[in-house]
Amino acid sequence: MRAIAYKTPQAISSETSLIDVDLPVPTPEGRDILVEVKAISVNPVDVKVRANAMPEPDQLKVLGWDAAGIVKAIGPGVKLFQPGDTVFYAGAIDRPGANAEFHLVDERIVGKKPETLDFPAAAALPLTSLTAWEALFDRLKVNDPVPGAANALLIIGGAGGVGSIAIQLARALTNLTVIATASRPETQKWAYDLGAHHVLDHSKPLAHQIDQLALGAPAFVFSTTNTADHLDEIIKLIAPQGRFGLIDDPKVLDVMPFKRKAVSIHWELMFTRSLFKTKDMDEQNRILTEIARLVDSGKIRSTLTQTLGLINADNLKKAHALIETGRTKGKLVLAGF
C-alpha cells in the first residue's frame, strides 16, 4: 500500500523530510478495524512529531492523526462497525498514523462519518472536535457555573483548528457568552461566522479588552496556542475560582500566580485515553457520534478551509510548511491517492 513516512527528523524544506513509500497492508486483530483512507487532515501534532521524534532503528514512521474512510475489514473483537461503514477518527499517537492507503485503528476511538459530509470535510473534524469537547466538558466543565463569575468562555486562538470547533460547540451546547481571539481581519471574521459573540485581538493586551466588554471576569479560559505569551493577561482577567485549560506546550508555565485566585488548571490531550487504554476509552466513540449528530442536524459545520490535493509526500510537505507558519485558519485536508 502507498504511504508517506520519514526516516529521521528534518526541516520540512529537506527533500527527504517526508517520502512516498510502499508498505504491507496490515491485518486487523482484537478490536481493530482496517480503514481504507479516503481523506486526511494535518495538525500541529504532525509537525511536532516529524520535527522531533526519531523512528525506531531501521524503521519508517508514518504520521497522520485525522482521517475519514471506509471500513474494509474488522478484528474478531469488533462490536461497533462492519465492513462498508464510513468512519472518521483521530487515531492514537503511539501507533502508525493514517497517512497511508489502509490504516488500523481501535474501534473505541472511531465514529461513523457524518452523513451530510464528504470524506474531506469529515476528515477535518476528529482531532479538533475531540480536543475541544474534552477540554470544555471533561476538563473545564463549562456547564458547571463559577459563583460570581461572568458566564463566559474566552478561547485564545479562535481561528485555529481547535478554536474553530470550540466556538461552535460552546454555542451549540452551552449558554455561555463566547469570546474568541484573532488578530487579522479574515480570522476575526471567521471567528464571528462560527458563532463567537465577541472577538478580541490577541496581539494586544487581553485584560483591558475584556474590561471594555463590561461582562465581568470570565469563568473559563481555554488557551489553544501561544499560552506563554498570554499567561500574564490570563491571570489578570480570569475570575476568582475560575478554570483555565490549555493544550499547547509552553517551555515554562509558572502557575503560582493563579494561587491567589484559586484558579484550577487543566491540561487536555486527546491522545490520553488511547495511550493509557483508560476504562472510558470508548468515550471518544460517543463524542464522535455526537459530533456527527450535531453536523447532520446543522448545529455545527466542518472547519475545512483548504484542500491541498492528493495524499502524497509533496502535498504533505506543503501542508506541514503552512502549519509551521502559525497563520492557518481552520483545517488543511488532503484527499485520495
Side-chain angles (χ1 to χ4, degrees):
M1 67 175 183
R2 287 170 289 184
I4 299 89
Y6 71 93
K7 294 181 178 180
T8 185
Q10 300 176 71
I12 196 60
S13 56
S14 171
E15 184 178 350
T16 56
S17 59
L18 292 169
I19 56 175
D20 293 301
V21 298
D22 188 63
L23 298 173
V25 176
T27 300
E29 299 178 353
R31 298 195 68 175
D32 278 352
I33 59 175
L34 179 68
V35 177
E36 181 182 3
V37 174
K38 294 297 187 181
I40 61 166
S41 182
V42 183
N43 294 283
V45 64
D46 298 74
V47 171
K48 293 174 186 176
V49 174
R50 188 214 78 242
N52 297 289
M54 180 66 71
E56 295 296 319
D58 300 320
Q59 297 295 310
L60 294 165
K61 191 169 184 67
V62 178
L63 305 173
W65 294 285
D66 254 341
I70 302 170
V71 178
K72 301 304 289 184
I74 61 175
V78 168
K79 305 172 184 177
L80 303 174
F81 300 98
Q82 294 293 327
D85 287 343
T86 57
V87 296
F88 72 144
Y89 59 92
I93 199 165
D94 58 344
R95 301 185 66 178
N99 293 347
E101 282 187 275
F102 296 93
H103 184 233
L104 286 182
V105 61
D106 190 302
E107 66 165 346
R108 290 170 288 184
I109 56 175
V110 176
K112 288 190 177 179
K113 182 183 74 67
E115 294 179 0
T116 56
L117 296 183
D118 60 14
F119 288 111
L125 285 172
L127 184 144
T128 53
S129 296
L130 289 166
T131 299
W133 184 292
E134 291 182 356
L136 296 180
F137 303 113
D138 295 348
R139 315 294 173 230
L140 293 175
K141 299 188 183 301
V142 295
N143 283 320
D144 183 6
V146 173
N151 193 39
L153 165 69
L154 172 64
I155 301 170
I156 295 173
V162 174
S164 294
I165 198 70
I167 291 170
Q168 296 186 75
L169 289 176
R171 284 304 308 270
L173 300 175
T174 79
N175 63 354
L176 293 164
T177 297
V178 180
I179 309 163
T181 79
S183 60
R184 309 192 310 273
E186 63 268 28
T187 52
Q188 290 169 352
K189 181 180 184 301
W190 172 260
Y192 275 122
D193 289 346
L194 292 173
H197 293 99
H198 306 281
V199 180
L200 311 182
D201 183 349
H202 53 231
S203 70
K204 300 174 182 177
L206 291 172
H208 176 65
Q209 294 177 77
I210 289 288
D211 287 343
Q212 288 184 315
L213 295 178
L215 297 170
F220 312 104
V221 177
F222 178 29
S223 180
T224 71
T225 186
N226 296 317
T227 297
D229 295 340
H230 302 296
L231 195 63
D232 289 345
E233 292 295 304
I234 294 167
I235 292 162
K236 290 178 188 177
L237 66 86
I238 195 168
Q241 303 186 91
R243 301 182 203 122
F244 168 52
L246 69 160
I247 60 171
D248 62 330
D249 304 300
K251 292 181 179 179
V252 177
L253 186 72
D254 182 5
V255 300
M256 286 303 295
F258 284 111
K259 181 178 180 180
R260 186 166 178 265
K261 286 185 173 180
V263 168
S264 59
I265 299 160
H266 305 263
W267 284 99
E268 161 57 19
L269 180 68
M270 58 77 51
F271 294 120
T272 295
R273 283 175 160 130
S274 56
L275 270 172
F276 293 95
K277 303 294 187 290
T278 60
K279 288 186 177 180
D280 65 347
M281 183 173 163
D282 60 354
E283 180 70 4
Q284 293 198 338
N285 164 262
R286 189 193 71 80
I287 293 169
L288 289 173
T289 299
E290 181 62 10
I291 293 296
R293 187 193 69 78
L294 290 168
V295 169
D296 289 338
S297 63
K299 299 290 181 62
I300 65 174
R301 62 181 174 90
S302 174
T303 55
L304 166 63
T305 53
Q306 191 173 0
T307 302
L308 297 176
L310 296 175
I311 304 169
N312 58 41
D314 285 344
N315 287 334
L316 268 176
K317 287 178 188 177
K318 294 174 186 176
H320 280 235
L322 285 169
I323 294 287
E324 288 182 352
T325 68
R327 294 175 64 84
T328 55
K329 178 182 72 175
K331 295 298 295 294
L332 306 174
V333 169
L334 288 76
F337 281 88

